[in-house]
Amino acid sequence: MNFTGSNVLVTGASRGIGAQIAKTLAGYGLKVWINYRSGAEAAQKIQEEIEASGGKAAIIKADVTNEEEFVAAIKTIVDADGELSYLVNNAGITKDKLALRMSVEDFNDVISANLTSTFIGCKASLKFMGKKRFGSIVNISSIVGEMGNPGQTNYAASKGGVNAMTKAFAKEAAARGIRYNAVTPGFIQTDMTHELKDEVKAEYEKNIPLSRFGNPSEIADAVAFLLSDHSSYITGEILKVNGGLYV
Ligand code: NAP
């Protein structure tokens, strides 16, 4: 795959989907900035893995819910490399509970981690990438933002917001040469879904036309395409990667 730009920031890349996105993009020759909040050792392991396979990687700590920290991280990258070409807003959390038992605090925590952090990243990239009039951003959303899910009113609202916001950013930024797209994964094998009971997993699998959970690499491939030159005429798109669960 071809990439005009040379570096990328992946938020929440210490594990799960983010870690795989970092490895996949490094495999295409991009210098990858691995963001983490608390998993310093895990982030270092990902960096070592990338470097051992001949890729380029650096680590950047920031809580992406904190505007000052997140913007400072982007500025550090631009100061070090002279630019930021690509951003993947991947960091996210769940705090599941049926709505009647969900506190406003649990609702707001998930909105802040998934939606507000993505707004901060999209806004900052508009500023820094706008100067070069080049950039591509992929927001990691979720199938739950498209179809809802019991126990996840906070998560569904946050990801539905990411989808709508991605389209609005795409329209605002197109004239500056910056593209914004989102990927909506279905159920993917990571720590986030590891907690599900076997019978719940089996029930979900019954409803997935491809009859299995996805792998992080299947999300990373879609992200690589949307960042790359091969999707140069695509912006404001919400790409489903869900095994056919929601079409
Ligand atoms: P995961 O295994 O739980 O990993 C989440 C990552 O996000 C971790 O690296 C975590 O870092 C980081 N993170 C969380 N809050 C952060 C913050 N405030 N600042 C910086 N980093 C933060 O989750 P995952 O399954 O890979 O999910 C990745 C993305 O895909 C999320 O946006 C999720 O909503 C989305 N998604 C996942 C699935 C799925 O089935 N797994 C499906 C649809 C969408 P720490 O370790 O430091 O907390």
Side-chain angles (χ1 to χ4, degrees):
M1 234 177 269
N2 299 326
F3 292 85
T4 294
S6 56
N7 67 355
V8 59
L9 167 61
V10 184
T11 69
S14 55
R15 57 196 166 88
I17 293 172
Q20 184 56 53
I21 292 170
K23 289 190 249 179
T24 297
L25 295 175
Y28 285 116
L30 293 180
K31 173 178 174 183
V32 179
W33 287 84
I34 300 162
N35 160 253
Y36 76 97
R37 173 185 52 173
S38 58
E41 262 180 51
Q44 201 179 329
K45 257 181 89 180
I46 303 301
Q47 182 188 25
E48 285 165 6
E49 258 185 70
I50 289 173
E51 288 177 343
S53 2
K56 288 173 276 182
I59 297 179
I60 188 105
K61 182 180 193 298
D63 177 344
V64 295
T65 63
N66 181 318
E67 182 176 16
E68 225 173 276
E69 274 185 39
F70 194 178
V71 175
I74 292 180
K75 204 170 171 311
T76 300
I77 294 169
V78 173
D79 288 345
D81 292 349
E83 62 160 20
L84 177 64
S85 304
Y86 306 110
L87 168 68
V88 183
N89 284 306
N90 164 78
I93 63 166
T94 50
K95 280 197 176 183
D96 298 352
K97 235 173 231 166
L98 291 173
L100 281 175
R101 296 197 193 125
M102 187 181 289
S103 64
V104 169
E105 194 184 357
D106 282 350
F107 184 86
N108 286 338
D109 283 351
V110 171
I111 295 291
S112 169
N114 299 356
L115 179 58
T116 312
S117 70
T118 301
F119 171 73
I120 295 167
C122 288
K123 180 183 166 189
S125 43
L126 190 53
K127 183 176 166 198
F128 287 100
M129 294 174 185
K131 288 182 185 151
K132 293 239 166 190
R133 302 191 79 76
F134 176 81
S136 178
I137 292 95
V138 174
N139 297 325
I140 305 301
S141 180
S142 170
I143 189 173
V144 171
E146 298 170 302
M147 60 185 273
N149 204 25
Q152 293 198 305
T153 47
N154 50 3
Y155 188 76
S158 72
K159 297 299 192 177
V162 167
N163 294 346
M165 191 174 71
T166 301
K167 296 177 190 179
F169 265 106
K171 290 185 176 180
E172 275 198 31
R176 298 186 194 204
I178 305 170
R179 297 185 295 113
Y180 288 83
N181 291 292
V183 169
T184 52
F187 292 99
I188 309 300
Q189 284 170 332
T190 68
D191 292 349
M192 203 176 257
T193 49
H194 188 69
E195 312 275 291
L196 293 173
K197 291 189 184 123
D198 285 347
E199 57 268 29
V200 177
K201 274 190 191 166
E203 194 53 41
Y204 281 139
E205 278 170 0
K206 254 199 263 169
N207 295 318
I208 300 171
L210 289 179
S211 307
R212 61 172 177 85
F213 277 28
N215 299 310
S217 65
E218 292 171 313
I219 303 304
D221 289 339
V223 171
F225 166 68
L226 286 175
L227 289 180
S228 78
D229 297 349
H230 299 274
S231 61
S232 52
Y233 200 51
I234 300 178
T235 194
E237 183 58 41
I238 312 299
L239 180 58
K240 298 180 181 72
V241 186
N242 62 30
L245 179 57
Y246 182 77
V247 291

